[in-house]
Amino acid sequence: MAPPATSTEKEQAIDDWLPITSSRNAKWWYSAFHNVTAMVGAGVLSLPYAMSELGWGPGIVAMLLSWIITLYTLWQMVEMHECVPGKRFDRYHELGQHAFGDKLGLWIVVPQQLIVEVGVCIVYMVTGGKSFEKCYTVACPDCNPLRTSSWIMIFAAIHLLLSQLPNFNSITLVSLAAAVMSLSYSTIAWAASAHKGRVADVDYGKTASTAAGQTFNFLSALGDVAFAYAGHNVVLEIQATIPSTPDRPSKKPMWQGVVLAYIVVAICYLPVAFVGYYVFGNSVDDNILITLEKPRWLVAMANIFVVVHVIGSYQIYAMPVFDMLETFLVKKLRFRPGLPLRLIARSLYVVFTALVGIAIPFFGGLLGFFGGFAFAPTTYYLPCILWLKIMKPKTFSLSWFTNWFCIIVGLLLTVFAPIGGLRSIIVNASTYKFFS
């Protein structure tokens, strides 16, 4: 008869079952396409619209500054993954707990991380459903249209199946396909715009006629830009899947993947934002693929690419939520780990995000609101606060000044961007029939 398992063995068995810590055999290029899939989301399609509300000068500054700041803060996250010898911070909240204590760290990080990840999943439900709908209307303009809510439900049905994949490494092929699709539809978006050429009487002025409207739209556009740079919320969880030894710590292959991912981000983001705005001016929609009507086959193909990409992105952002959910159910509520628990918990999450997406499918407003309210903290300045707390750079050093600059920029985004996004949602809601 086998001896009873000790508490340490039980905890190890649970860790081996949980999605983040169950597999540590990822290669550096896994990090590259996981980060591309996490970062280059549907937010790239709203960048020309964000440019139209910001204007050329502020728009270019916001795009380039965000790229630089977020690459710097992502480097900090990668470095802090193993900042304590012999220990790995596999989850964002574990790093927060190390910096601020078990309870305070949990309360600082987990609510923000959950808002980001759940918010992204909701936005991607809307994006996936609307892209499905666009494919249908472009491919078959004379067919009877289906309601947007029906397309979102079809998109959700795909995730009811994919959400049962156990961990990050099991969604590798889904993530790789999504990363390739993101590069593909971004290229189609700017290349098709460039081929179309500048529209007649293009206008680079503001869309709103009042000063208040222009200000609110400007703030919402800053949130759109913040939303586009959001991979930090899953970076530690991605790094947790990479093996680590004293000779080759995980930060080396992880950083290789991040650099490649950020090169792809620049190739995707900057041409879409600048070419899209140059061609359409302030007449561009909050999703540039909706503005592009011809050639029909190319627009339909781009929307199919978007669907494939957001399928992968949804899974990347849902996996840490599944990990938190299953950790709580197994460690706190003492449920038995296994397929029935996973099936019920994950399916309920997918259904929840689908229902919220059906209720408020305001793509642009959602991006601005979530981008400022939650993405700015976890992406622009929380890594800097953690760095100051844990690594303790010398006061008034270059590192100290750099981190405080990022913190101030991030705080301004957090305060102002959600105001514009929330106003956009309210304005849209006044003319929208819910659950259409």
Side-chain angles (χ1 to χ4, degrees):
M1 184 176 172
T6 63
S7 59
T8 306
E9 289 171 338
K10 287 179 180 176
E11 286 175 11
Q12 186 59 50
I14 290 171
D15 283 340
D16 289 343
W17 179 78
L18 290 170
I20 300 301
T21 48
S22 62
S23 177
R24 293 193 192 268
N25 58 3
K27 311 296 185 196
W28 74 267
W29 55 86
Y30 288 29
S31 144
F33 51 74
H34 281 330
N35 275 292
V36 169
T37 302
M39 187 83 68
V40 185
V44 67
L45 300 174
S46 75
L47 292 178
Y49 178 75
M51 286 289 297
S52 74
E53 299 298 355
L54 295 170
W56 279 116
I60 291 171
V61 170
M63 289 295 301
L64 297 180
L65 194 60
S66 290
W67 191 89
I68 294 166
I69 288 176
T70 56
L71 179 59
Y72 172 68
T73 55
L74 196 53
W75 170 78
Q76 290 180 310
M77 297 289 285
V78 171
E79 287 289 316
M80 288 188 287
H81 181 81
E82 293 174 280
C83 59
V84 175
K87 182 174 176 60
R88 299 183 69 172
F89 296 108
D90 294 323
R91 299 165 178 89
Y92 206 146
H93 67 80
E94 290 176 4
L95 191 63
Q97 287 175 298
H98 173 66
F100 302 112
D102 284 348
K103 284 191 175 179
L104 183 59
L106 209 62
W107 281 106
I108 288 174
V109 176
V110 170
Q112 293 184 79
Q113 196 180 11
L114 276 176
I115 289 168
V116 169
E117 286 157 359
V118 177
V120 168
C121 289
I122 292 167
V123 171
Y124 284 174
M125 275 290 177
V126 176
T127 310
K130 287 195 170 184
S131 295
F132 261 142
E133 185 178 20
K134 180 71 173 177
C135 293
Y136 177 73
T137 55
V138 168
C140 186
D142 299 323
C143 298
N144 289 329
L146 289 175
R147 299 193 317 177
T148 302
S149 54
S150 301
W151 291 110
I152 294 174
M153 288 165 68
I154 292 168
F155 187 73
I158 296 169
H159 289 294
L160 287 172
L161 294 173
L162 287 179
S163 65
Q164 298 310 311
L165 293 170
N167 53 44
F168 264 121
N169 285 346
S170 67
I171 61 171
T172 295
L173 290 177
V174 177
S175 181
L176 175 59
V180 173
M181 292 300 105
S182 64
L183 189 56
S184 302
Y185 71 69
S186 297
T187 303
I188 288 173
W190 70 260
S193 298
H195 182 264
K196 183 183 181 74
R198 289 173 73 183
V199 298
D201 301 321
V202 64
D203 184 2
Y204 297 118
K206 298 293 189 291
T207 53
S209 56
T210 64
Q214 290 176 10
T215 303
F216 282 123
N217 288 349
F218 184 92
L219 298 178
S220 183
L222 290 177
D224 289 2
V225 174
F227 189 101
Y229 293 93
H232 299 56
N233 294 279
V234 292
V235 68
L236 292 179
E237 288 81 353
I238 292 170
Q239 193 169 345
T241 66
I242 297 175
S244 184
T245 64
D247 296 332
R248 188 166 173 78
S250 64
K251 67 182 180 182
K252 290 184 178 180
M254 183 67 187
W255 181 241
Q256 284 178 277
V258 166
V259 169
L260 179 58
Y262 255 73
I263 291 170
V264 175
V265 166
I267 293 170
C268 290
Y269 282 21
L270 303 182
V272 172
F274 301 152
V275 174
Y277 180 43
Y278 172 78
V279 169
F280 296 108
N282 63 17
S283 64
V284 71
D285 289 285
D286 62 2
N287 179 338
I288 191 171
L289 293 181
I290 293 173
T291 312
L292 288 166
E293 295 293 341
K294 293 178 181 178
R296 302 181 74 86
W297 65 269
L298 192 63
V299 175
M301 187 187 297
N303 278 281
I304 287 288
F305 291 166
V306 173
V307 170
V308 175
H309 176 257
V310 294
I311 285 171
S313 265
Y314 182 99
Q315 291 299 317
I316 289 284
Y317 279 95
M319 198 60 74
V321 181
F322 295 155
D323 184 79
M324 287 185 207
L325 192 59
E326 288 163 17
T327 299
F328 176 75
L329 291 171
V330 172
K331 291 188 174 181
K332 296 292 184 185
L333 301 185
R334 304 294 180 187
F335 280 92
R336 182 187 295 275
L339 183 60
L341 177 67
R342 182 162 279 168
L343 181 66
I344 294 168
R346 295 187 178 190
S347 297
L348 286 174
Y349 175 76
V350 171
V351 169
F352 166 75
T353 54
L355 288 175
V356 178
I358 289 168
I360 47 170
F362 311 128
F363 182 66
L366 285 172
L367 290 188
F369 180 73
F370 283 123
F373 183 63
F375 285 57
T378 54
T379 302
Y380 285 78
Y381 66 88
L382 188 54
C384 297
I385 294 172
L386 292 171
W387 186 269
L388 291 172
K389 184 78 174 172
I390 295 169
M391 309 305 282
K392 295 182 169 55
K394 189 176 179 181
T395 305
F396 303 124
S397 65
L398 179 62
S399 173
W400 187 88
F401 274 116
T402 304
N403 282 292
W404 275 108
F405 173 76
C406 296
I407 289 167
I408 291 166
V409 170
L411 278 170
L412 291 173
L413 269 175
T414 306
V415 172
F416 292 114
I419 298 170
L422 189 60
R423 176 183 176 273
S424 176
I425 293 172
I426 292 167
V427 168
N428 282 316
S430 64
T431 59
Y432 178 76
K433 288 165 63 177
F434 284 81
F435 295 98
S436 61

